[in-house]
Amino acid sequence: MNNNSEPENGSLHIGIDLGTSRSAIATSHGKKRWVHSYVGWPTDFVARRMLKKDVLIGTDAIEHRNSVQLVRPLEYGVIRDGTDTDEKAVRELIRHLFHLAQPAEGQKIFAAVGVPAEALRVNKLAIRNAVGEWADTLMLVSEPFAVAYKLGALNNTCIIDIGAGTIDFCVMHGTMPGEDDQRSLRTAGDHLDEQLFSLLSERFANTPFSETFVRELKEKYGSVTGASDKINVSIPISGKFETHDLTEDIWRVCDSIVPSIAETLIDLLSTYEPMLQERIRHNIYLAGGGSQIQGLSNALCSALEEYGQFSISPVHDPLFSGAEGALSLAEDMPEEYWENM
């Protein structure tokens, strides 16, 4: 540890990125793991007998979705509806993430948790209570701030974290960001999935698409207009697989995310004095799963041309950048920033 009183071999630092679609951990003893943010409970005694488990997490829950009550507890970046089931699902997800960290018996755990900005405002107590069951000390931060810390981009920068539930914006200007330094949109990955689902369901009326199929399609082929070759996909039509060109469908859906991001970025930057605005324009990073949409950086730069020149880059490892940033915070943060559980 850098700034805490516990000896290094007596403590474990864990960085957690608690996301709407995927959650990840990184630990001070080198473990990196991720899971889909899904929890499932067997629907009846037959399912429980077949599955031989009381609760399923991640891919396991998705693969057996017809046999479980499937819950993705974080919706639009917050605990969905704040119901007992969803809060229970968050606790199960966090329990699983700590299990993946494999702490030693009796080891003191320092956990820094990155969450969507909206969850930090709305669900802070519920998340703190869930994490507190497993950690000795806790720090909650917004996901884009954790990414910024990982990059060392702590001054004159803006992080745009494109998740499934929300798109979170965070300007860094050499200090801990406040609420005025952040914005959040709901037109994120889930919104794109809904649009693509509607388009494909209308085009292929005889094919019962699932949300999982559509989400995987977007994640594999997501691109804006002109950024990819033709997208040909095998689709079952009336029971027979046929290859169809989905290029225009996917481009149309992914293009729709560009105007709202550009508008919100300009709205946020306009609150800073001109010299700082100019510096930030050249240090903008895209994070989260949505940052992997092909051509998105260039499309945003083009959409912002009337406001001047921008430099926008996707982060190298969007899956773990939030968890690794949270881990770096856990290892560096002075004692006064921690909450004892």
Side-chain angles (χ1 to χ4, degrees):
M1 293 180 60
N2 291 355
N3 294 295
N4 293 295
S5 59
E6 289 292 312
E8 191 68 36
N9 60 4
S11 62
L12 177 67
H13 298 88
I14 301 177
I16 296 176
D17 182 355
L18 190 64
T20 300
S21 182
R22 291 179 175 86
S23 296
I25 63 156
T27 75
S28 55
H29 58 7
K31 292 190 179 299
K32 289 169 57 176
R33 300 286 189 274
W34 72 272
V35 296
H36 292 285
S37 301
Y38 284 85
V39 179
W41 289 273
T43 55
D44 54 31
F45 82 96
V46 175
R48 186 174 292 104
R49 180 178 178 85
M50 184 268 293
L51 295 169
K52 297 181 173 62
K53 293 180 180 179
D54 292 326
V55 61
L56 287 74
I57 307 291
T59 301
D60 203 14
I62 295 172
E63 289 181 348
H64 293 97
R65 58 186 176 275
N66 294 323
S67 302
V68 300
Q69 176 192 0
L70 188 66
V71 177
R72 188 171 66 156
L74 290 169
E75 185 176 75
Y76 299 121
V78 298
I79 297 177
R80 189 167 59 94
D81 296 332
T83 65
D84 291 341
T85 297
D86 294 305
E87 291 189 8
K88 181 180 177 183
V90 167
R91 291 196 298 273
E92 289 291 348
L93 179 60
I94 289 172
R95 177 195 62 77
H96 184 72
L97 291 169
F98 276 94
H99 173 74
L100 293 176
Q102 296 181 332
E105 183 71 26
Q107 196 169 33
K108 187 170 183 178
I109 298 176
F110 292 82
V113 183
V115 297
E118 191 68 14
L120 195 59
R121 288 189 285 267
V122 177
N123 300 132
K124 187 173 183 178
L125 179 60
I127 293 172
R128 181 192 291 125
N129 290 341
V131 176
E133 294 181 30
W134 306 97
D136 297 285
T137 57
L138 168 68
M139 177 170 46
L140 293 178
V141 298
S142 70
E143 287 173 344
F145 173 52
V147 172
Y149 203 84
K150 164 64 178 175
L151 297 173
L154 302 179
N155 196 25
N156 303 325
T157 60
C158 179
I159 307 296
I160 304 175
D161 189 349
I162 308 171
T166 58
I167 303 173
D168 293 330
F169 300 71
C170 181
V171 166
M172 298 296 302
H173 48 84
T175 186
M176 293 279 285
E179 285 199 18
D180 291 343
D181 301 312
Q182 301 182 71
R183 296 285 190 279
S184 189
L185 294 174
R186 286 193 172 189
T187 51
D190 286 350
H191 179 70
L192 298 187
D193 296 342
E194 292 167 5
Q195 289 187 27
L196 186 57
F197 185 91
S198 295
L199 281 176
L200 296 182
S201 296
E202 181 178 349
R203 180 176 169 185
F204 304 101
N206 294 326
T207 299
F209 292 104
S210 69
E211 294 179 1
T212 301
F213 174 84
V214 172
R215 182 176 298 113
E216 290 176 351
L217 195 65
K218 180 207 66 181
E219 291 177 351
K220 183 175 182 179
Y221 298 107
S223 58
V224 296
T225 298
S228 68
D229 296 328
K230 292 291 184 181
I231 302 169
N232 294 311
V233 179
S234 182
I235 296 176
I237 306 296
S238 299
K240 180 181 179 181
F241 278 88
E242 302 175 1
T243 298
H244 288 268
D245 183 354
L246 303 185
T247 311
E248 293 297 328
D249 302 274
I250 290 175
W251 283 358
R252 176 181 170 186
V253 166
C254 292
D255 283 347
S256 71
I257 204 173
V258 174
S260 59
I261 294 177
E263 181 181 345
T264 303
L265 177 61
I266 291 300
D267 178 65
L268 177 57
L269 292 186
S270 66
T271 64
Y272 299 95
E273 53 101 351
M275 185 177 294
L276 183 56
Q277 287 187 42
E278 181 61 26
R279 291 171 179 168
I280 295 170
R281 289 170 190 258
H282 300 288
N283 294 286
I284 298 173
Y285 298 92
L286 302 182
S291 68
Q292 298 178 85
I293 294 174
Q294 294 181 54
L296 182 58
S297 297
N298 290 336
L300 284 169
C301 288
S302 296
L304 292 162
E305 278 182 342
E306 64 178 292
Y307 299 97
Q309 185 177 359
F310 285 74
S311 177
I312 303 176
S313 306
V315 299
H316 174 65
D317 187 0
L319 185 56
F320 286 105
S321 58
E324 290 180 334
L327 173 61
S328 295
L329 279 163
E331 292 176 324
D332 294 346
M333 199 58 66
E335 186 174 350
E336 59 265 27
Y337 288 91
W338 290 94
E339 297 181 54
N340 290 316
M341 307 308 296

